[in-house]
Amino acid sequence: MTNTEPAPDGHVADAVKGNWVDAIAPAVTRPYLRLSRADRPIGTWLLLIPCLWGLSLAMLHDQSATWFDAWIAIGCGIGAFLMRGAGCTWNDISDRDFDGQVERTRSRPIPSGQVSVKGAVIWMCAQALIAFGILLTFNTNAILLGVLALVPVAIYPFAKRFTWWPQVFLGLAFNWGALLAWTAHTGQLEAPAVVLYLAGIAWTLFYDTIYAHQDTEDDALIGIKSTARLFGTDTAKWLRRFLMSTVGLMGIAVIFAALDEASILAMVLALGGPWAMGWHMAWQLRGLDIEDPGKCLQLFRANRDTGIIPLLFFCAALMA
């Protein structure tokens, strides 16, 4: 297959088998939905989960929950789908020449010729505008944070060209929802949300380093930088550091959030979240094989469950 040939039926190489886009979406929409990674839902989860962390810890912080919080959760869910789609579209526009040279990505809609660059730009703007409409239903400080989130989103596709740590920029973008959802609930950005944000960045460094090991050979040939290439055979050692940072920072965020208003029982339950999350990350480390791209993808996708685990503990703490 050349880098201008579409894959059979337009299927993208690393999409989930039997996904709803390939199975039931109208044919005319499939290239654009693939451009938004709708056939790979893990990214939407990884964008949404920090939002739900931030919202649940904000409610724990002030011991307050309203019907508007339900809308914050729903709005973040829709917004995560849309902004993940817009971000991935921007990424594919920026990386269209590189994607055509990498085995795993050459079947994506732009390098395979399913979508033109002009069509991709229009699709990206449409998704971003709908997401902005949802953002306008939040308070002013949350709106300002939402607009500011565009900065790391815009930079990320280019980061792998000038730094060995592009995963940091992904973390800055993907965990912004922790700041936004906290602020949407409380009306202001506070220290627990910032520490939670840092925990999310450490988590992103963990899972996206695993993900990047799928492409190290192709990346080396075309000069793309990543933490996977930087760490090489020392990857497991670095992942353990990211694991400890994630657990430690999230634990501090929980303590800061719960200290003033929550009961001792609620704090203990909430602290169980980062503890259990750490065990799930340790399980991933035990199964890691950086020479096996299929295993790396499997472990990367497992991080949906990794992120949901502390959320369950936070919800239990809210009911304590």
Side-chain angles (χ1 to χ4, degrees), residues 48-295:
L48 172 60
I49 285 168
C51 300
L52 301 180
W53 290 349
L55 177 60
S56 57
L57 282 189
M59 290 190 287
L60 185 67
H61 176 64
D62 61 15
Q63 292 292 290
S64 171
T66 68
W67 282 110
F68 188 70
D69 292 317
W71 167 244
I72 293 174
I74 294 168
C76 284
I78 301 170
F81 179 82
L82 291 167
M83 286 309 298
R84 190 258 183 143
C88 287
T89 304
W90 169 241
N91 186 79
D92 282 10
I93 292 169
S94 304
D95 283 356
R96 58 190 183 275
D97 295 329
F98 289 125
D99 284 347
Q101 301 176 60
V102 176
E103 181 65 29
R104 185 177 60 84
T105 60
R106 64 177 53 175
S107 58
R108 287 179 177 175
I110 295 177
S112 66
Q114 298 177 61
V115 177
S116 68
V117 174
K118 179 180 178 180
V121 170
I122 294 171
W123 178 240
M124 176 184 69
C125 292
Q127 293 171 96
L129 285 172
I130 298 170
F132 182 64
I134 294 171
L135 182 65
L136 291 177
T137 66
F138 296 164
N139 60 57
T140 300
N141 287 336
I143 293 170
L144 293 174
L145 276 172
V147 173
L148 190 59
L150 294 176
V151 175
V153 171
I155 294 173
Y156 169 66
F158 304 100
K160 54 185 170 288
R161 308 178 196 190
F162 64 80
T163 177
W164 287 100
W165 293 81
Q167 280 69 25
V168 171
F169 288 88
L170 183 69
L172 291 170
F174 257 59
N175 294 281
W176 201 271
L179 306 177
L180 193 152
W182 176 286
T183 305
H185 173 86
T186 65
Q188 58 186 344
L189 183 60
E190 297 172 280
V194 176
V195 180
L196 183 66
Y197 178 56
L198 295 175
I201 293 171
W203 178 44
T204 301
L205 280 162
F206 179 90
Y207 67 66
D208 205 61
T209 297
I210 294 173
Y211 183 79
H213 267 289
Q214 297 176 90
D215 300 325
T216 49
E217 292 185 6
D218 286 333
D219 286 350
L221 288 173
I222 60 180
I224 293 296
K225 298 178 173 68
S226 72
T227 50
R229 287 189 61 208
L230 177 65
F231 302 154
T233 55
D234 288 332
T235 289
K237 178 173 68 177
W238 279 94
L239 293 182
R240 281 191 289 272
R241 293 170 179 171
F242 298 145
L243 185 163
M244 291 185 289
S245 297
T246 302
V247 172
L249 288 166
M250 186 177 288
I252 294 170
V254 168
I255 293 170
F256 282 0
L259 195 58
D260 291 337
E261 300 291 340
S263 67
I264 297 297
L265 175 59
M267 181 180 290
V268 170
L269 284 171
L271 284 171
W275 174 80
M277 182 181 185
W279 278 109
H280 197 270
M281 294 169 76
W283 165 79
Q284 293 182 55
L285 270 176
R286 287 196 296 272
L288 179 65
D289 180 357
I290 62 173
E291 302 299 330
D292 183 348
K295 186 65 175 180

Side-chain angles (χ1 to χ4, degrees), residues 13-25:
D14 59 351
V16 176
K17 304 303 181 186
N19 67 81
W20 72 274
V21 174
D22 292 339
I24 64 172

